[in-house]
Amino acid sequence: MIDLLPKLERRGNSGCSCSHTPSEEPGDWAQKQLQPLQQQQQGWPNKHTLRILQDFSNEPNSNVSSNSLEKNQFPPVGHNQNERSSRQPEHQAAQRGDPKRHSPPDVVEQQGVKALVRLAALYEHPLFKTTLPALTDEDTLFNVNTDIRFDPKAAYYNIMSQFHIGINRYELYSRHDPVIDGLLKDLDAQKITSVAMKSGGTQLKLIMTFQNYGQALFKPMKQTRDQETPPDFFYFSDFERHNAEIAAFHLDRILDFRRVPPVAGRLVNMTKEIKDITKDKKLWRTFFISPANNICFYGECSYYCSTEHALCGKPDQIEGSLAAFLPDLALAKRKTWRNPWRRSYHKRKKAEWEVDPDYCEEVKQTPPYDSGTRLLDIMDMTVFDFLMGNMDRHHYETFEKFGNETFIIHLDNGRGFGKHSHDEVSILVPLSQCCRVKKSTHLRLQLLAKQEYLLSSMMAQSLLRDHLAPILIQPHLDAMDRRLRQVLTVLADCIEKEGYSNVVADDLQGEPAHTSPRQR
C-alpha cells in the first residue's frame, strides 16, 4: 500500500458527489454510487475507495494501530482541518497484518465495484419497488399547506423540517429520498451552536442544536470497534454504543423497514463544539484534563457518569453518533407502548413470556395486537433486534395521530452489536411463539440470505458511506448472516407446523396485512 500511494498521488484531483438531487431517478442514484470507483483510473480515489483498498482484518487488534492512510489528505467535510488533532481515531488506523493475506489492490477494487453494483441492484429489486396506498391528509403527519411552520420562507425551515414533512402512516421516509442523504450530511457537517444534556435515560446523551436550528441526539463513543460486551454484564447495564446506532439505521434501511430516524457518525471537538458553547453548568463542571493530557468529561446520568468512566478525547476529538430528532411532541404527539416481550430487568426474576410457551396466545387477544398490523410489526422489530443482538427493547413508540394502524418507530438501538461471538436466541421468542410474519419481510430476508445480496456485504457497502467508516468489524457482519439463517430456520419450522398461509401474511396485494381470527 505504501508503494501504491505515490503513484496515486501523482494523478490529478477529481471528486464526485454520491447523493442525488430530487430530479434524479433511482437509477441515476445507483449509477452515482459507482462513480468513486469508476473514476479511480482518472484521479485521486474517493476516501471510501481507500478504505476498500485496506485489509479490514478479522483480527481484534486490526482496528487499533496508528497512522491512517488518509490522515491528512481527507479533512472531514464541513470542518476546519486546522481544528483537527493530528492524532486520528482508532477506527481510521491503517490495517496492518501479514502481507501474504492481502489481496492485490486491483482485485480488491474489482470486488468493491461488484459489491456496490449489488447494493444498487438490491434497491432496484422488485421487493424494493412496492408502492404505498394513496395518502390522504389523515395519512400524513403534517398538512404543509395549512401549517405556517413548514413555509420554506420561515426562519426555522430546514432540511430536518423536510424530513418531518415526509413522515406518514406507513414510513418515516421514502426510498431514495434525497432529503435523507442531505440530512445525513447536515448531521456530520452543520455547525453546532448549542449543547445540553438530555434528561432521563441511564447513560449520557447530549442534545446538539445546529446553526440551521436542526437538532440531533449525540451518543459519544464508549467502546472501540473490537470490544465485546463483557460476559458478566447484564443486558440492562451494557454500554450504549455509538456505532450500533449508526449500523442500526443502515440495517433498518436495508431491511426496507425505514423506521429508524437518520443517524450519522461525526468526529466532534470536545473543546470547541461542546465545552466552549454549552450553557449547561452541570455538564460544563464535569470537564477535566486527564493525566495523559486528554480532554475528558462525564456529565450526569444513572450509569457510567463518573471520573472512572469519563469520556476522553484524543486529545479533544471524540467520535459519536448523531440521530436526527423526530418532530417536537408539541407538534406531533407520540404514544409509548410497553413491549409485550419486555424483559424483567432484574438479576433473578424472569418475565412471563420466558416461562409460558403459550404467552403469544394471550397477546393475540389483547388490543392492539388482536387486529391490524401491530403484531406483525412486533415480529419485524424482533427480527431487527435479533440481527443486531439487541436485548434492550422494553418500550416502543408510535405517532398518536395514526392510531393503531401505523408502524413502530425503532428508537434507541445503542445496545445492539455488543457480541458477535454469541447469538441471543431468546430475542427470537416472539417469532417462535407467534409464528407470524409479513410476506414482504419473509421474502426480503430470503433475498438477503442469497450470495448475490448477502446481508453482510450489503451492510458493509452501505456503512462505507458514513464518515466514521468502518462502523462494524467483520465478525459483526458475519454474525448477521449467521443470525439471518436462524431466523429463516424458525420461520421454516413454523410453516411446516402450521402451514404457509397461517404463518405468512400477504401484504403485497395492495392492502396492509391484517391479523384475522383464523390466523390467531
Side-chain angles (χ1 to χ4, degrees):
M1 284 303 305
I2 298 301
D3 292 337
L4 177 65
L5 285 173
K7 299 176 184 177
L8 294 173
E9 196 170 18
R10 285 197 293 270
R11 299 173 183 166
N13 266 326
S14 69
C16 84
S17 172
C18 292
S19 63
H20 61 291
T21 62
S23 62
E24 292 175 339
E25 295 298 321
D28 298 328
W29 171 85
Q31 279 297 110
K32 284 203 169 186
Q33 305 310 302
L34 305 179
Q35 286 183 10
L37 290 172
Q38 291 172 337
Q39 292 181 352
Q40 183 168 338
Q41 297 300 323
Q42 301 173 4
W44 182 261
N46 178 280
K47 68 179 199 176
H48 292 161
T49 306
L50 277 183
R51 294 190 178 111
I52 291 172
L53 294 177
Q54 297 175 22
D55 172 25
F56 295 134
S57 170
N58 290 351
E59 298 290 335
N61 294 330
S62 65
N63 275 352
V64 292
S65 56
S66 58
N67 300 322
S68 169
L69 293 177
E70 52 180 310
K71 181 173 180 180
N72 297 315
Q73 288 87 345
F74 299 101
V77 177
H79 293 282
N80 188 333
Q81 185 178 2
N82 295 328
E83 293 180 2
R84 300 292 174 186
S85 164
S86 61
R87 296 173 61 184
Q88 297 297 299
E90 56 87 19
H91 78 280
Q92 291 180 345
Q95 309 300 308
R96 308 294 185 187
D98 183 359
K100 296 178 182 179
R101 289 181 16 229
H102 289 211
S103 300
D106 57 337
V107 173
V108 178
E109 178 190 344
Q110 292 172 9
Q111 294 172 346
V113 170
K114 290 179 180 178
L116 280 173
V117 169
R118 289 196 299 269
L119 180 61
L122 176 72
Y123 291 130
E124 294 298 317
H125 192 280
L127 284 172
F128 291 80
K129 294 287 190 178
T130 55
T131 58
L132 297 178
L135 299 178
T136 66
D137 287 345
E138 294 302 312
D139 297 323
T140 56
L141 194 59
F142 299 107
N143 187 335
V144 297
N145 296 323
T146 60
D147 197 329
I148 192 172
R149 287 167 296 212
F150 296 106
D151 183 345
K153 296 180 182 179
Y156 286 86
Y157 186 85
N158 52 38
I159 198 163
M160 202 164 293
S161 300
Q162 296 175 52
F163 160 54
H164 294 163
I165 289 171
I167 299 173
N168 61 60
R169 182 184 298 276
Y170 307 102
E171 59 190 8
L172 272 181
Y173 57 91
S174 62
R175 303 183 189 103
H176 306 306
D177 186 351
V179 168
I180 301 305
D181 286 336
L183 179 53
L184 292 173
K185 290 180 180 178
D186 259 22
L187 292 171
D188 176 51
Q190 269 286 325
K191 181 180 179 181
I192 301 168
T193 58
S194 174
V195 179
M197 285 187 294
K198 182 182 184 297
S199 60
T202 58
Q203 299 184 36
L204 179 68
K205 302 183 237 339
L206 302 178
I207 298 174
M208 292 187 166
T209 304
F210 303 125
Q211 192 171 29
N212 67 353
Y213 304 108
Q215 287 188 313
L217 188 66
F218 180 77
K219 289 189 178 182
M221 176 179 176
K222 294 186 177 74
Q223 288 184 311
T224 57
R225 304 292 194 276
D226 58 304
Q227 287 179 305
E228 287 197 272
T229 301
D232 292 326
F233 269 40
F234 284 99
Y235 54 88
F236 49 81
S237 59
D238 191 10
F239 293 108
E240 292 186 14
R241 287 165 285 275
H242 73 301
N243 60 319
E245 293 285 359
I246 300 166
F249 165 70
H250 288 262
L251 175 60
D252 176 83
R253 203 176 191 180
I254 287 173
L255 294 173
D256 202 41
F257 293 156
R258 287 168 284 123
R259 299 166 196 168
V260 174
V263 183
R266 179 163 177 164
L267 194 61
V268 171
N269 185 309
M270 295 165 62
T271 302
K272 296 182 179 180
E273 295 181 306
I274 300 179
K275 181 176 181 290
D276 289 354
I277 63 174
T278 185
K279 295 181 181 179
D280 189 331
K281 292 183 179 179
K282 291 182 179 180
L283 173 62
W284 188 89
R285 281 197 288 262
T286 67
F287 276 84
F288 64 92
I289 299 176
S290 74
N293 288 321
N294 293 321
I295 303 295
C296 305
F297 75 102
Y298 52 86
E300 289 187 358
C301 63
S302 303
Y303 294 129
Y304 310 122
C305 282
S306 64
T307 305
E308 294 76 20
H309 297 101
L311 304 164
C312 297
K314 297 182 179 180
D316 60 355
Q317 311 291 309
I318 190 168
E319 287 184 29
S321 63
L322 276 164
F325 264 30
L326 292 173
D328 191 280
L329 292 175
L331 301 178
K333 292 181 180 180
R334 299 195 298 273
K335 186 169 182 177
T336 301
W337 305 78
R338 181 186 174 96
N339 184 358
W341 282 271
R342 181 186 188 272
R343 295 177 184 274
S344 66
Y345 288 81
H346 192 278
K347 296 181 181 70
R348 291 176 296 277
K349 293 181 181 178
K350 288 189 175 182
E352 184 180 352
W353 59 267
E354 294 181 275
V355 296
D356 182 4
D358 297 322
Y359 177 77
C360 185
E361 295 305 315
E362 297 180 26
V363 176
K364 289 177 180 179
Q365 298 173 32
T366 307
Y369 309 104
D370 59 344
S371 64
T373 62
R374 185 61 58 84
L375 184 64
L376 294 167
D377 288 338
I378 289 284
M379 298 303 110
D380 283 350
M381 186 170 67
T382 295
V383 172
F384 178 59
D385 283 336
F386 180 67
L387 293 175
M388 295 189 295
N390 178 29
M391 301 171 68
D392 186 36
R393 187 72 68 184
H394 46 83
H395 288 82
Y396 64 85
E397 295 184 22
T398 60
F399 287 107
E400 194 173 282
K401 176 180 178 179
F402 303 135
N404 293 338
E405 296 295 329
T406 188
F407 62 91
I408 292 172
I409 309 170
H410 295 165
L411 295 172
D412 293 335
N413 305 298
R415 283 182 170 145
F417 298 104
K419 295 180 181 179
H420 53 72
S421 58
H422 173 72
D423 301 336
E424 184 54 53
V425 294
S426 66
I427 301 173
L428 273 184
V429 166
L431 191 65
S432 60
Q433 285 184 348
C434 298
C435 278
R436 292 287 285 153
V437 70
K438 293 178 183 176
K439 184 176 182 179
S440 60
T441 299
H442 190 211
L443 290 176
R444 289 188 190 106
L445 293 176
Q446 291 175 316
L447 184 68
L448 292 167
K450 294 182 178 180
Q451 192 64 34
E452 184 181 2
Y453 299 109
L454 204 59
L455 178 58
S456 59
S457 178
M458 300 299 98
M459 278 290 290
Q461 290 307 312
S462 183
L463 289 170
L464 280 177
R465 302 181 68 192
D466 192 87
H467 177 74
L468 297 182
I471 302 301
L472 297 175
I473 60 173
Q474 190 62 41
H476 278 300
L477 297 172
D478 294 338
M480 282 191 287
D481 289 335
R482 185 177 67 242
R483 292 164 186 164
L484 176 55
R485 291 192 294 269
Q486 293 181 57
V487 172
L488 292 174
T489 298
V490 169
L491 290 174
D493 291 343
C494 285
I495 292 171
E496 182 178 358
K497 179 176 61 176
E498 300 191 16
Y500 184 87
S501 61
N502 290 324
V503 174
V504 181
D506 192 351
D507 61 331
L508 297 176
Q509 300 298 321
E511 294 293 334
H514 292 274
T515 302
S516 66
R518 183 183 64 82
Q519 293 170 322
R520 292 178 191 169

